[in-house]
Amino acid sequence: MAIPRIWRQIEEKYNLVGTLCKDCKKKHFPPREVCSCGCYDLEKYRFLGKGEIVTYTVIRISSEDNEDTPFRNIPYVLAIVRLDEGPSLTAQIVQCSESELMIGKKVEMVFRKLLEKGEKGVIQYGYKFRIA
Amino acid sequence: MVGIISWGSYIPRYRIKVEEIAKAQGADAVVIKESLMISEKSFPDIDEDTATMAVEAGRITLSSSAISPEDISAIYIGSESHPYAVKPTGTIVAQALGMGNGYTCADLQFACKGGTAAIQVAYYMAKAGLNVVAGAADTAQSAPGDILEYTAAAGAAMFLVGKEKVCAEIKDTVSFSSDTPDFWRKPQKKYPSHAGSFTGEPSYFRHVMSAAKMLMKKNGTVPKDYDYAVFHQPNGKFPSRVAKKLGFTEKQISDGMLVTRIGNTYSAASLLGLCAVLDIAKPGQRILLTSYGSGAGSDSFDILITENIIAAQKSRKTTQSFIEDKVYGDYLKYLKRAVR
Ligand SMILES: [Zn+2]
């Protein structure tokens, strides 16, 4: 990932900052330029970072094939999390045993290292989730 | 009145028992446990570092305070495991805490006392009317096979220091420093080096005792004037012995003594002990806090709990809850996640 892109995503990744449509009040994550209702009048909205697991999968085989090295060990858990305010996102669920995982389980945002561009590269930080 | 407005701690969930490390080192766990007075230590997950732990502790600190993050003028984090040699930890943490752009920042390093040095800077800035975030975080590194491997742990403690709604007044702080080469790490080296038993008498004991005595002499106090005493805790033995030498009882130090259950969290060690005490302290109680950083120096603080502590303690995630929420890992898991 290019440095300018990492930099542009800081608000979104660090604090779950998305957008709120001033017209229909719909909230989006990731942030959008235009709402599904056609409105362009959007403002920044910071999600609280609470939600629940919609579905999840345990990744057991690595498929890393680029220069961005993610900070995770196999096996790790990827889940679709529905935020309390509406939108869903894909995120890693950290430090949970497989027996703790369940659809509908409440989760909360944590701040973790996401990836680095090789040993010399910059570190990208951002949200992951843990069982609440 | 200047002091602590809010506080927050963070300890990673993983623990490894002394027995597991002793097995890997081919040592006798019973002997190690007795000499270090420690049963297990925390270690970070692969995606945790000083910045992420400082953010977790900082979020607890700020969410429990009425002060807006944008009204905070500075952030100082002490650590000996800043993620970058060049590029501040503080800006990453400030961004994640929503402090906007109107703040000043620099990272601090003074072995295990970078965090208390940060609180001192915050204390003097707070006297000028500013709100400052200060604290410590460390993912302590130790070479596999080194005696440090039994204790080097991970954790963070963050504080909001200012003048409004102070829960714990910082009445005074003094320091005792000298050029003492007991423990160091050069820039390109992964693991620290240490001078073995030299880290004891001329280093830890001389500095901690001198700073604590200096503080009490200056303020006309004696050990029995304090309800709690918290000392830097590289193992269980040193703080117990220093407390005894100074005239403090086991009862005064027990609530702030976390090393036996989480290991030595380096620059966060004495400050996590302070957090554990702030979680339970009552108005009017008095705390003596003394850190130690190799190289070497000790900062000592005279802290008085105010009425505001009662409201501040409500619904805050406590240090004790982090200590109790744990998952054990074996040596292989520890190596894969915590040793870099
Ligand atoms: Zn809309």
Side-chain angles (χ1 to χ4, degrees):
Chain A
M1 201 182 290
I3 301 277
R5 187 162 164 215
I6 288 177
W7 177 72
R8 269 199 308 276
Q9 289 183 344
I10 280 179
E11 270 203 313
E12 170 189 335
K13 297 282 187 196
Y14 284 23
N15 280 320
L16 284 174
V17 174
T19 43
L20 166 71
C21 173
K22 284 185 171 173
D23 193 7
C24 77
K25 306 294 176 205
K26 191 173 173 183
K27 290 160 186 159
H28 327 97
F29 191 86
R32 296 176 62 152
E33 296 290 325
V34 51
C35 183
S36 49
C37 76
C39 174
Y40 281 83
D41 195 9
L42 308 180
E43 63 179 16
K44 279 183 188 174
Y45 177 82
R46 184 173 168 176
F47 289 87
L48 287 173
K50 309 252 185 221
E52 64 174 50
I53 295 175
V54 176
T55 185
Y56 67 89
T57 182
V58 182
I59 309 282
R60 300 178 195 281
I61 297 166
S62 169
S63 61
E64 321 305 353
D65 56 356
N66 54 37
E67 57 170 9
D68 295 334
T69 316
F71 289 100
R72 58 194 178 200
N73 283 317
I74 291 166
Y76 62 91
V77 180
L78 270 190
I80 293 178
V81 170
R82 186 184 298 113
L83 299 171
D84 286 352
E85 297 96 329
S88 294
L89 50 84
T90 304
Q92 190 185 333
I93 310 292
V94 295
Q95 57 188 37
C96 61
S97 58
E98 282 184 41
S99 59
E100 286 177 287
L101 285 165
M102 215 194 305
I103 286 168
K105 197 92 174 175
K106 296 281 181 206
V107 291
E108 61 189 12
M109 174 181 60
V110 290
F111 188 76
R112 294 290 176 113
K113 292 196 282 187
L114 301 180
L115 52 87
E116 70 182 347
K117 295 177 69 65
E119 271 209 340
K120 288 202 283 186
V122 103
I123 302 166
Q124 186 186 33
Y125 292 88
Y127 62 81
K128 292 184 182 180
F129 285 79
R130 70 175 163 222
I131 308 286
Chain B
M1 185 194 294
V2 166
I4 296 163
I5 299 169
S6 187
W7 68 96
S9 44
Y10 180 79
I11 301 163
R13 205 177 178 202
Y14 293 121
R15 301 286 185 282
I16 183 164
K17 288 182 190 269
V18 163
E19 284 82 353
E20 276 291 318
I21 300 169
K23 207 162 50 181
Q25 288 203 10
D28 184 344
V30 178
V31 175
I32 299 286
K33 282 171 93 162
E34 202 179 283
S35 71
L36 296 176
M37 283 170 63
I38 167 175
S39 56
E40 57 196 53
K41 70 166 189 175
S42 67
F43 67 92
D45 207 342
I46 188 169
D47 54 2
E48 291 187 289
D49 66 9
T50 288
T52 67
M53 295 193 303
V55 169
E56 294 293 329
R59 280 179 173 163
I60 292 172
T61 305
L62 296 197
S63 66
S64 313
S65 147
I67 288 171
S68 157
E70 302 239 3
D71 292 333
I72 298 166
S73 305
I75 182 164
Y76 295 102
I77 298 168
S79 179
E80 51 188 283
S81 52
H82 287 293
Y84 294 93
V86 177
K87 188 190 180 309
T89 303
T91 53
I92 300 167
V93 178
Q95 178 79 41
L97 296 181
M99 284 169 53
N101 304 109
Y103 65 89
T104 180
C105 161
D107 289 351
L108 276 76
Q109 183 277 117
F110 192 151
C112 296
K113 86 158 192 81
T116 52
I119 306 262
Q120 287 181 324
V121 174
Y123 167 73
Y124 290 112
M125 288 175 82
K127 284 193 167 196
L130 302 175
N131 294 313
V132 182
V133 168
D138 253 316
T139 52
Q141 298 294 295
S142 51
D146 194 305
I147 185 81
L148 290 178
E149 203 174 16
Y150 293 103
T151 52
M158 298 292 283
F159 302 84
L160 176 58
V161 179
K163 277 185 165 174
E164 266 175 67
K165 288 205 174 163
V166 166
C167 301
E169 181 188 2
I170 299 174
K171 292 183 75 72
D172 197 15
T173 176
V174 301
S175 300
F176 182 89
S177 311
S178 78
D179 184 358
T180 305
D182 58 333
F183 178 106
W184 62 92
R185 179 170 67 82
K186 287 183 169 169
Q188 276 77 27
K189 296 292 171 197
K190 258 172 101 171
Y191 305 116
S193 305
H194 54 88
S197 59
F198 186 73
T199 57
E201 219 43 64
S203 308
Y204 179 89
F205 290 97
R206 178 178 176 226
H207 292 81
V208 171
M209 294 196 53
S210 301
K213 280 181 180 169
M214 198 192 283
L215 182 86
M216 288 190 280
K217 191 176 177 197
K218 191 177 161 204
N219 290 280
T221 55
V222 292
K224 70 170 171 41
D225 294 328
Y226 296 92
D227 298 278
Y228 304 95
V230 183
F231 299 102
H232 176 54
Q233 32 204 279
N235 52 54
K237 216 160 208 176
F238 279 22
S240 291
R241 201 189 297 162
V242 91
K244 203 170 174 188
K245 282 181 158 195
L246 284 165
F248 289 93
T249 62
E250 278 297 316
K251 188 170 173 285
Q252 282 168 301
I253 63 166
S254 63
D255 289 307
M257 183 88 125
L258 313 182
V259 63
T260 51
R261 287 166 293 162
I262 62 167
N264 178 7
T265 53
Y266 283 42
S267 61
S270 57
L271 291 177
L272 271 170
L274 176 63
C275 285
V277 168
L278 292 176
D279 286 338
I280 55 165
K282 294 183 177 63
Q285 290 192 320
R286 203 162 177 177
I287 306 165
L288 179 135
L289 166 73
T290 306
S291 64
Y292 174 69
S294 290
S298 282
D299 303 324
S300 196
F301 297 79
D302 186 5
I303 297 167
L304 185 66
I305 303 296
T306 76
E307 290 290 333
N308 294 325
I309 198 92
I310 298 167
Q313 283 167 342
K314 280 191 186 122
S315 76
R316 181 185 302 263
K317 191 162 179 184
T318 63
T319 311
Q320 204 58 43
S321 69
F322 280 109
I323 294 173
E324 283 157 19
D325 180 20
K326 60 184 174 184
V327 174
Y328 288 105
D330 58 16
Y331 192 73
L332 190 65
K333 187 168 185 179
Y334 163 71
L335 281 187
K336 264 176 83 179
R337 288 172 194 263
V339 181
R340 282 151 212 149

